[in-house]
Amino acid sequence: MPATPRFSACRWYRRAGSYLLGSVLVFTTSCGEGGGVTPPDTTVDRVDVSASAVSLRAGESLQLSAMAKNAAGGALASGAFSWQSSDAAVASVSAAGLVNGVSPGTATITAVETGSGKSGTLALTITAAPVAKVVVTSPQPRLKTGKRIQLTGTPTDAAGAPLTGREIAWSTSAPGVATVGADGALAAVGAGTVTVTATSEGRSGSVSLEVFQLPPASVVLPPRLKVMAVGDTVHLRPVALDAEGDTIPRQPLWTTSEVRRGSAAVLELREAGVFHATALGHVALYAELDQVRSGTVVVAVTEADELFATALAGGAERVQARRGEKVTVPLVLDMSRVQAPGDLGALEIDVTYPHSVLRLDSATPGLAGSVGQSSVPGRYRLSFASSTPAGTARLTVVTLVFEVAAGALPGDTARLEVKFPSAPASTGFAAYKLPIVAAGTVHVLP
């Protein structure tokens, strides 16, 4: 019987492979001397980390994959991976390898194969999320002229998450109503409606505000008395206030009443509130806004050694009071020429008033020494026979206090006048030139 050929398993597979090369996939095995099959290499040599992109925007997510491989590059089944980020402030990573972009920058994500401790990395770049819109907020929907508030502009991404570190440009639709600074500080300047817009990276948001204005309650105008020489300049700043005491950002208008020595104007208005003295005389000025008047300022343009007298506080032209109320009248004089007791000689000053409207309540001299006083209804007289002034320049000589008479009627006016009945030439008073006198009127209110 013929012998049966014997083939090793390795030779049979090699020969079968050569027969079927053209039509089937060839499987190769490793054969040892003993003819056995070598098992595959399952030792983890490295870990490859991959993703569909290597950059993402802040606020976006990206899924990473990790694969354990042997030395030949073959993929191996792995139990699990742990994940970590080199900079969680730039990019964070979950236990499943999901990366979230946090802020612009670069971060390296590492995957560690838990069984072998082998790891792999992937560098990611996080870019800034684009501005999708700007949210503008105001602490209040309306505000009064003269007030300031702080607006807030917040750039957000498409999901509405706030974005930091973005530049914002501010603008206003009506600068005459409100102005806005580079930091979003808004100042209300005039009544009306305004839209304020904040723009960042081509996206913008806005808020509408109403600016209202309370009517003027008073106009304040210091000083009440100003004595100056020809060529001098005075700056008067009237301020209009509302009922809450806040400044109204509008300029009151001027009204003047001159008493001239000659034909030339006493004052010249050169710009807002700036007056230049051009000739001798005195001017009563007041400022008015929406029919609300200030007190009166008296500006006297005098020569050297010229006597000046005023009958109402600060040279005011007009005061208002009700029946039973008191009006204080300081009589002011420039006494700088007086050098010694008796220098004024028998100088007398009369203050006259209608006694049906005003009643003299008290009189307090402001000079040291003997000052003569006498009064009859409708007149108060002050004499300086042997008085010594308590100073050298524009002193309060006497303070008069009047009470509005009980019989005075609303609308009555009491004109105060200052007169010099005598001015002896043999005394120091003769050195003064013609006196300028500003009296005044008390108006009775209902």
Side-chain angles (χ1 to χ4, degrees):
M1 184 173 177
T4 303
R6 296 176 60 187
F7 300 95
S8 72
C10 190
R11 289 176 181 171
W12 186 90
Y13 283 124
R14 288 196 190 108
R15 188 168 298 174
S18 65
Y19 296 153
L20 301 175
L21 184 60
S23 58
V24 298
L25 181 64
V26 178
F27 294 92
T28 13
T29 63
S30 296
C31 302
E33 289 299 325
V37 178
T38 302
D41 183 4
T42 60
T43 301
V44 176
D45 180 71
R46 71 177 191 271
V47 174
D48 288 349
V49 181
S50 62
S52 60
V54 293
S55 67
L56 68 158
R57 290 171 173 167
E60 293 181 341
S61 299
L62 179 67
Q63 181 62 57
L64 273 57
S65 299
M67 179 65 71
K69 293 186 177 181
N70 58 24
L76 302 175
S78 173
F81 293 92
S82 63
W83 297 88
Q84 61 186 30
S85 170
S86 64
D87 191 345
V90 174
S92 63
V93 61
S94 71
L98 182 66
V99 174
N100 289 312
V102 179
S103 63
T106 58
T108 299
I109 307 300
T110 302
V112 179
E113 203 274 330
T114 55
S116 64
K118 297 291 184 176
S119 63
T121 61
L122 181 67
L124 295 177
T125 300
I126 311 301
T127 59
V131 175
K133 65 178 180 178
V134 179
V135 178
V136 181
T137 57
S138 169
Q140 57 196 71
R142 60 196 304 265
L143 70 159
K144 189 171 64 175
T145 54
K147 296 295 186 179
R148 298 176 66 90
I149 57 174
Q150 181 64 52
L151 302 181
T152 301
T154 305
T156 64
D157 59 19
L163 301 174
T164 60
R166 308 304 170 91
E167 292 187 1
I168 299 176
W170 293 90
S171 61
T172 173
S173 64
V177 176
T179 60
V180 64
D183 58 350
L186 181 136
V189 297
T193 302
V194 63
T195 299
V196 182
T197 302
T199 303
S200 180
E201 298 179 10
R203 301 289 184 174
S204 61
S206 61
V207 64
S208 293
L209 299 166
E210 178 191 353
V211 178
F212 65 94
Q213 180 175 287
L214 293 179
S218 64
V219 178
V220 180
L221 181 59
R224 304 299 296 276
L225 173 63
K226 179 68 177 179
V227 179
M228 53 198 297
V230 174
D232 289 347
T233 298
V234 60
H235 195 172
L236 303 175
R237 299 177 175 86
V239 178
L241 303 176
D242 60 26
E244 297 177 353
D246 292 323
T247 300
I248 297 175
R250 293 167 55 199
Q251 186 64 38
L253 300 178
W254 288 101
T255 297
T256 63
S257 175
E258 288 190 327
V259 177
R260 302 181 182 182
R261 300 286 185 84
S263 59
V266 179
L267 292 180
E268 177 184 281
L269 180 60
R270 294 194 168 177
E271 55 184 276
V274 178
F275 292 90
H276 183 72
T278 55
L280 298 176
H282 69 275
V283 181
L285 308 98
Y286 65 84
E288 184 175 2
L289 183 63
D290 295 346
Q291 300 181 342
V292 177
R293 287 178 47 173
S294 70
T296 302
V297 171
V298 173
V299 178
V301 183
T302 68
E303 295 181 279
D305 302 327
E306 188 166 17
L307 185 64
F308 180 80
T310 178
L312 289 180
E317 185 182 64
R318 180 186 180 95
V319 295
Q320 296 177 329
R322 293 177 172 83
R323 283 175 292 185
E325 292 183 343
K326 294 182 178 181
V327 177
T328 300
V329 181
L331 182 63
V332 180
L333 290 169
D334 180 353
M335 307 298 287
S336 60
R337 294 287 300 186
V338 178
Q339 298 297 327
D343 192 36
L344 289 179
L347 171 65
E348 293 178 336
I349 297 178
D350 284 349
V351 179
T352 62
Y353 55 92
H355 66 275
S356 62
V357 179
L358 296 178
R359 182 184 65 83
L360 181 62
D361 183 77
S362 64
T364 305
L367 289 176
S370 174
V371 179
Q373 304 175 65
S374 64
S375 64
V376 295
R379 189 201 71 188
Y380 173 82
R381 175 167 290 179
L382 186 66
S383 60
F384 302 88
S386 60
S387 62
T388 301
T392 59
R394 285 190 291 280
L395 303 175
T396 299
V397 175
V398 62
T399 300
L400 306 177
V401 179
F402 292 95
E403 181 180 313
V404 179
L409 299 176
D412 282 350
T413 57
R415 175 70 179 172
L416 296 172
E417 294 185 355
V418 180
K419 299 179 179 179
F420 296 86
S422 63
S426 60
T427 69
F429 181 73
Y432 286 96
K433 297 181 175 64
L434 180 68
I436 293 177
V437 177
T441 301
V442 177
H443 179 73
V444 180
L445 295 173

